[in-house]
């Protein structure tokens, strides 16, 4: 009977935090068949409540839905960001993360989890590091919002996973923790939809338990979590890309630092020249005034 109306307690609970939603959905799914027969004789679960349940499982907030196209994701990004453009050195990253994430989350086999959350946050921290903090936060929040998710919830999930890794301390303990076991328990057919953000989350977790990211480490983690080996190959590819991108980013930052230092040196040299010129001009004027004064003091012949 509780399932019969959108105003029922259970339907209202589907607007609760994601973990509570998942527990409620599992409870409903495990009801005995007799109860199922009883419920089927009543009015069906309202579409609004079913939609809330689907959004809960996929990690989307109440009233939110994933963008159906990359273009829609970009439109939602700029609407959330509040400006018609972003800095040129951030635009490429924004386009890449929006595009790769949008194509992942519209897949039926996509599952939102804390690893995806951590990866999204880590990517933004890494590739937007050159932007001022307020701008970096604004861009990050706009990206998350454009994907139909809650910035507050995603950041909370990422922070919780960091704490889990810190408490675990070791690779074995972390892989046996609740968040990771939930990933291990995902259906194998179809396999979990892989995304760049999920891969980045895995790579971010490794150093937190003193594991150096490598192809061997990726093989161990993919095997331990029973992830499709094909996804492991994608993670290795993204690992190589991530390392290369970080190296290029470091080179770019070094180049920018050198350019800024060179500009400061040129500005200092220019100011020095101006100061020397002003001093020379002042000295010349003083000498002229002194000469004029001495001339005025000489007696007439």
């Amino acid at each position: 009977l509780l399932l019969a109306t959108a105003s029922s307690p259970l339907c209202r609970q589907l607007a609760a935090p994601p973990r509570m939603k998942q527990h409620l959905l599992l409870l409903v799914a495990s009801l005995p068949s007799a109860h199922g027969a009883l419920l089927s004789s009543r009015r069906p679960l309202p579409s609004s409540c079913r939609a809330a349940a689907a959004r809960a499982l996929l990690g989307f907030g109440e009233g939110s839905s994933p963008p159906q196209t990359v273009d829609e994701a970009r439109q939602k990004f700029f609407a959330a960001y509040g400006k018609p453009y972003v800095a040129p050195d951030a635009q490429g990253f924004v386009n890449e993360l929006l595009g790769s994430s949008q194509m992942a989350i519209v897949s039926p086999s996509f599952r939102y989890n804390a690893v995806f959350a951590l990866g999204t946050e880590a990517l933004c921290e890494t590739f937007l590091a050159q932007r001022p903090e307020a701008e970096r936060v604004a861009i990050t929040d706009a990206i998350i919002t454009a994907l139909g998710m809650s910035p507050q919830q995603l950041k909370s999930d990422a922070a919780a996973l960091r704490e889990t890794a810190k408490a675990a301390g070791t690779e074995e303990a972390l892989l046996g923790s609740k968040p990771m076991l939930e990933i291990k328990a995902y259906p194998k057919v179809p396999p979990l939809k892989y995304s760049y953000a999920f891969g980045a989350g895995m790579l971010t977790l490794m150093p937190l338990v003193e594991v150096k990211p490598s192809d061997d480490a990726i093989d161990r983690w993919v095997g331990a979590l029973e992830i499709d080996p094909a996804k492991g190959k994608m993670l290795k590819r993204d690992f190589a890309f991530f390392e290369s991108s970080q190296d290029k980013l470091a080179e770019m930052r070094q180049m920018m630092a050198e350019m800024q230092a060179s500009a400061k040196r040129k500005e200092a040299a220019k100011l020095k020249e101006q100061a020397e010129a002003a001093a020379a001009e002042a000295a010349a004027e003083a000498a002229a005034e002194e000469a004029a004064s001495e001339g005025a003091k000489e007696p007439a012949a």
Side-chain angles (χ1 to χ4, degrees):
L1 293 176
L2 291 176
L3 296 175
T5 63
S7 60
S8 69
L10 180 57
C11 191
R12 289 197 301 271
Q13 285 295 327
L14 289 171
R19 291 186 180 86
M20 185 182 293
K21 297 172 185 175
Q22 294 177 10
H23 293 161
L24 288 167
L25 290 170
L26 290 173
L27 176 62
V28 172
S30 64
L31 288 173
S33 58
H35 291 125
L38 174 62
L39 291 173
S40 65
S41 66
R42 303 292 180 178
R43 291 169 55 191
L45 190 65
S47 60
S48 60
C49 195
R50 292 197 301 271
R55 288 195 299 270
L57 286 174
L58 295 176
F60 304 113
E62 184 177 7
S64 300
S65 59
Q68 296 304 301
T69 65
V70 174
D71 185 60
E72 181 184 348
R74 289 173 180 164
Q75 291 177 13
K76 288 185 174 182
F77 167 81
F78 285 112
Y81 187 51
K83 298 178 183 178
Y85 60 89
V86 294
D89 59 350
Q91 185 65 68
F93 166 72
V94 171
N95 290 342
E96 170 63 26
L97 187 56
L98 282 177
S100 62
S101 297
Q102 185 279 328
M103 288 187 284
I105 63 181
V106 294
S107 169
S109 59
F110 172 79
R111 294 291 183 276
Y112 172 85
N113 51 60
V115 175
F116 176 93
L118 178 62
T120 299
E121 183 181 70
L123 287 170
C124 291
E125 289 176 351
T126 299
F127 292 102
L128 296 175
Q130 74 278 13
R131 306 310 309 161
E133 181 179 1
E135 183 182 351
R136 182 170 66 250
V137 171
I139 293 175
T140 300
D141 287 355
I143 289 174
I144 299 169
T145 301
L147 296 175
M149 301 176 183
S150 162
Q152 182 179 4
Q153 184 63 54
L154 185 142
K155 293 177 181 180
S156 175
D157 292 340
L161 185 55
R162 287 183 187 271
E163 288 301 315
T164 297
K166 181 179 178 180
T170 66
E171 175 180 1
E172 183 179 2
L174 175 59
L175 293 174
S177 66
K178 183 179 178 180
M180 306 306 278
L181 290 178
E182 288 176 352
I183 294 174
K184 183 178 181 178
Y186 285 154
K188 302 301 183 284
V189 179
L192 171 69
K193 180 64 178 179
Y194 176 82
S195 67
Y196 185 32
F198 179 84
M202 294 275 279
L203 297 172
T204 302
L205 276 176
M206 290 180 182
L208 299 181
V209 288
E210 299 183 355
V211 173
K212 183 178 180 180
S214 66
D215 286 356
D216 288 342
I218 290 172
D219 286 336
R220 288 199 309 273
W221 285 44
V222 167
L225 299 177
E226 297 181 5
I227 296 174
D228 181 7
K231 312 304 180 185
K233 291 181 180 179
M234 294 180 182
L235 178 51
K236 290 179 182 179
R237 176 204 64 195
D238 283 347
F239 170 50
F241 174 75
F242 187 66
E243 276 200 320
S244 173
S245 297
Q246 283 189 310
D247 290 341
K248 291 178 181 177
L249 189 61
E251 290 175 1
M252 183 184 74
R253 289 173 182 164
Q254 179 65 27
M255 181 180 68
M256 291 180 65
E258 291 175 356
M259 290 175 61
Q260 290 175 350
S262 176
K264 289 180 179 179
R265 287 195 297 270
K266 290 180 179 179
E267 181 66 19
K270 182 179 179 181
L271 291 174
K272 182 180 179 181
E273 290 177 359
Q274 291 175 342
E276 291 175 347
E281 183 179 353
E285 290 178 353
E289 289 178 358
E290 184 178 356
S293 177
E294 289 295 330
K297 291 179 181 179
E298 290 182 2

